[in-house]
Amino acid sequence: MPEAPAPLAAPVIDSHCHLDVVRYGAADADVLPVEDALRKASEANVTRIVQIGCDLPGARWAVEAAETYDQVVAGVALHPNEIPGLLAAGTLDEALAEIGRLAQTSVRVRVIGETGLDHFRTPEDGWKGQEDAFRAHIELAKRHDKALVIHDRDAHADILRVLDDEGAPDRVVMHCFSGDAAFARECLARGFFLSFAGTVTFKNADDLRAALRETPLDRLLVETDAPYLPPVPHRGQTNASYLIPLTVRAMAAVKELPEEALCAAIEASSVSVLGEW
């Protein structure tokens, strides 16, 4: 695993993490066990983590983890790239019903997500099924008063169209924000929160940094998407929550803010989305 950076000057929340990849086994033998990942995160002043489930086993495990570890709350959903397979098996309605049940399982389930649209990995003939499932997740978030966490890959216009059609929940997070400044303004005009990952540190991410400059502090979150998308200088390695200081420091430089001030703003925005725990 990469060397740990210096701890942050103030605590922040990792708004999107996949500890279940550790739980089920990952290709990279260096991935940390869950307890070690949480300990190292705390040592870096990343004091709390949102564990995101992307399929039924992952959603069930997210709820279990949130009930087991004080640092963790859960998100439950069917990832858009899971939808074509569920449709082919004829089990999508049953799976959505279980996501609805899991959303009510515990007060520590704070998120419906990640859901949304992926026009990169799913061929065009699967887009309608993704959209129908996305609409169902939006309804679940509103019905159960949960934050909606959105996966948007190469689908900016359709994400906004569906949310405008359905009416967005009170709290919407654009996970691993991937748009430019113009798209950021569209999202912010709708009251959404933008969550930035290690990608904002990449050399070729000028559009992301421009979007970050557009984002008010009260709409700004940070995440790892671990074990994916580690920040520079660890691009291509295994990510973990303890590496968030590298992302936050890069964001602070873009925003021209002291590290402690940005941490405080991210913490406040995260709590406004997720509540206290």
Side-chain angles (χ1 to χ4, degrees):
M1 294 295 294
E3 182 179 352
L8 287 166
V12 299
I13 292 170
D14 180 353
S15 72
H16 196 110
C17 188
H18 298 288
L19 292 166
D20 57 319
V21 172
V22 177
R23 177 66 176 81
Y24 296 127
D28 188 336
D30 291 333
V31 169
L32 289 167
V34 173
E35 289 80 4
D36 289 347
L38 294 175
R39 174 183 53 79
K40 287 177 71 69
S42 290
E43 290 169 354
N45 224 355
V46 181
T47 55
R48 287 167 288 175
I49 291 171
V50 184
Q51 164 61 24
I52 298 292
C54 289
D55 54 19
L56 288 182
R60 295 181 193 117
W61 191 84
V63 176
E64 179 184 337
E67 290 290 319
T68 302
Y69 303 107
D70 290 343
Q71 288 164 256
V72 177
V73 294
V76 296
L78 306 172
H79 191 284
N81 289 329
E82 295 291 316
I83 303 305
L86 293 167
L87 280 169
T91 57
L92 178 58
D93 288 345
E94 179 183 345
L96 284 168
E98 182 162 355
I99 294 297
R101 288 192 293 271
L102 288 168
Q104 304 173 73
T105 298
S106 167
V107 296
R108 297 183 69 82
V109 179
R110 304 292 174 87
V111 165
I112 298 295
E114 61 188 281
T115 180
L117 303 173
D118 191 313
H119 291 176
F120 178 78
R121 293 198 180 279
T122 293
E124 189 169 354
D125 61 4
W127 293 358
K128 183 184 183 303
Q130 281 192 349
E131 183 172 314
D132 291 344
F134 182 27
R135 291 178 187 271
H137 282 88
I138 293 169
E139 192 278 328
L140 284 173
K142 292 193 288 189
R143 187 196 320 164
H144 299 299
D145 191 26
K146 307 293 185 185
L148 182 73
V149 169
I150 292 177
H151 173 101
D152 165 23
R153 189 156 189 192
D154 294 353
H156 299 337
D158 285 330
I159 289 283
L160 295 182
R161 174 180 57 80
V162 172
L163 285 164
D164 289 346
D165 284 352
E166 293 293 323
D170 290 340
R171 302 177 308 284
V172 174
V173 178
M174 301 300 292
H175 143 62
C176 192
F177 185 79
S178 59
D180 58 12
F183 184 58
R185 288 191 291 270
E186 291 279 357
C187 294
L188 293 165
R190 291 163 169 81
F192 301 167
F193 293 79
L194 309 188
S195 182
F196 289 85
T199 45
V200 77
T201 73
F202 293 179
K203 183 178 180 180
N204 62 350
D206 289 340
D207 282 351
L208 273 184
R209 288 184 282 274
L212 174 59
R213 291 186 190 96
E214 294 282 336
T215 307
L217 294 179
D218 64 354
R219 293 285 158 177
L220 182 59
L221 306 180
V222 69
E223 65 175 87
T224 54
D225 200 23
Y228 315 109
L229 303 179
V232 171
H234 303 299
R235 190 172 182 180
Q237 300 180 50
T238 299
N239 201 5
S241 296
Y242 74 87
L243 294 177
I244 269 188
L246 297 172
T247 303
V248 170
R249 288 176 184 131
M251 292 168 67
V254 171
K255 297 293 275 184
E256 298 182 343
L257 286 172
E259 178 183 318
E260 188 168 6
L262 183 61
C263 289
I266 291 170
E267 179 81 358
S269 294
S270 301
V271 169
S272 70
V273 172
L274 302 162
E276 294 280 7
W277 79 94

